[in-house]
Amino acid sequence: MPFFQSHQLSMGVQLFALAADLARDFDGTLQAVAKTGYRTVELAGYHDRTATQIRLALDAAGLSCRGIHVQPDPVAGRSGPSLNGDIAAIITDSRALGTTDVILPIFLMPRRFVAPAGADRIRTLRAAGEALVADDWKYIADFLNAKGRELQSEGLRMGYHNHHFEFAPLRGGTTGFDILLRETDPSLVFFELDVGWVMGGGSDPVDMLQAHQGRFAKMHVKDVVPSTNPDFEGGVAPTEVGSGMIDWRRLLPAAYAAGVRDFVVEQEPPFAGPPIDSLAKSFAYLNQIETA
């Protein structure tokens, strides 16, 4: 049987790719997501709606929310609470949405970091990622532990989603991701492994899953073009799942064996056509893939 059917798993999708479509037609876009076959979604913002309004639209489309990406601080143009803001609002919204998983989608800005003059958010994040040192990653681990403790007391879970900066070598032969894994409490913090960014950082996601079984509860199912060269400065060149360099027949069973039970398709721009078509193509590939 195909992998997802044999394990009785549903496929989710990160709505970040559909931000423009959701802005034009929120309810219609969710209906289109459900029509492709996805049954769960992950939020990366509230699209100028309340959690209750989002839940009603998800229910109407036959979808459920399995997690929310919550920024550490408010981001211009992106609605929703932040982790350094109102934790009580995050707890209330999570319950309204019907999810238990709150995920930090990006590292914290390095302390004493000064953004380049005139830089947009992407350039600022790139410069900040390159400035991170071991003590910064330890600070992020402490932050995750503290927020995880607050959320756990309310029946919620704290997670962390990686990019490629986490895998850049640091002084002493370690990496930011090594530090996060070592310094976070497994009872308080889980990881959402973005395998596209792992490949972009020059690491093997299968090796990572096997070396740290039980730490990864979620996985971003993201493919990158075969010509991708690992680096820690630019982005990854995205493509539909099954059209890139990742061996999914090897990776999916390794993820399941390591404890991953929530598989979330994500693709970042640019898109060759409508983003919903790319997400539908990824679903079709994953829905039929068989593994050993």
Side-chain angles (χ1 to χ4, degrees):
M1 291 179 64
F3 172 82
F4 284 90
Q5 288 91 317
S6 66
H7 292 296
Q8 298 183 337
L9 296 169
S10 60
M11 264 181 278
V13 63
Q14 166 55 251
L15 294 180
F16 174 80
L18 298 169
D21 295 327
L22 289 163
R24 285 191 298 268
D25 182 0
F26 191 81
D27 292 352
T29 299
L30 292 182
Q31 295 284 349
V33 168
K35 189 175 180 179
T36 64
Y38 293 105
R39 291 294 172 261
T40 66
V41 303
E42 186 178 78
L43 297 178
Y46 285 15
H47 308 281
D48 295 320
R49 284 165 171 77
T50 66
T52 299
Q53 289 171 330
I54 294 172
R55 174 65 181 272
L56 290 172
L58 290 172
D59 287 348
L63 298 168
S64 61
C65 179
R66 293 290 295 272
I68 53 175
H69 278 199
V70 179
Q71 297 289 331
D73 297 295
V75 175
R78 189 171 299 180
S79 55
S82 61
L83 280 162
N84 274 324
D86 191 352
I87 284 289
I90 294 173
I91 294 167
T92 299
D93 288 354
S94 297
R95 289 172 177 161
L97 290 163
T99 185
T100 60
D101 294 347
V102 177
I103 302 151
L104 178 65
I106 190 70
F107 53 80
L108 303 180
M109 287 291 180
R111 290 166 292 176
R112 301 175 302 279
F113 172 75
V114 178
D120 60 17
R121 184 167 185 267
I122 298 301
R123 287 177 56 204
T124 298
L125 287 174
R126 186 176 300 169
E130 294 169 0
L132 288 160
V133 297
D135 283 346
D136 295 316
W137 290 111
K138 291 177 183 176
Y139 178 79
I140 296 170
D142 291 341
F143 176 87
L144 290 167
N145 285 331
K147 299 302 179 182
R149 192 170 292 107
E150 289 184 76
L151 294 174
Q152 187 184 69
S153 67
E154 300 293 335
L156 305 179
R157 302 194 302 173
M158 181 78 247
Y160 182 81
H161 164 273
N162 66 275
H163 286 77
H164 57 346
F165 299 107
E166 288 83 354
F167 308 105
L170 301 175
R171 184 177 301 176
T174 189
T175 67
F177 208 67
D178 291 336
I179 294 170
L180 292 179
L181 285 165
R182 184 175 65 246
E183 299 293 334
T184 52
D185 184 340
S187 70
L188 299 175
V189 179
F190 72 86
F191 288 86
E192 179 177 61
L193 190 68
D194 188 311
V195 296
W197 283 115
V198 172
M199 296 291 287
S203 296
D204 185 340
V206 172
D207 289 347
M208 195 166 298
L209 287 159
Q210 292 175 343
H212 303 285
Q213 297 201 17
R215 295 307 308 271
F216 304 103
K218 295 175 178 284
M219 192 172 84
H220 267 190
V221 181
K222 178 188 295 180
D223 219 335
V224 293
V225 299
S227 59
T228 297
N229 293 315
D231 68 56
F232 308 106
E233 297 178 1
V236 295
T239 188
E240 292 84 2
V241 179
S243 301
M245 65 189 296
I246 295 180
D247 182 355
W248 296 101
R249 289 180 173 82
R250 173 174 175 255
L251 178 53
L252 292 174
Y256 189 85
V260 176
R261 294 296 182 270
D262 202 3
F263 294 81
V264 183
V265 173
E266 183 185 35
Q267 186 172 337
E268 296 172 348
F271 294 91
I276 190 66
D277 290 349
S278 291
L279 296 174
K281 183 177 179 181
S282 294
F283 179 89
Y285 172 81
L286 290 165
N287 196 46
Q288 57 78 40
I289 189 171
E290 297 179 359
T291 59

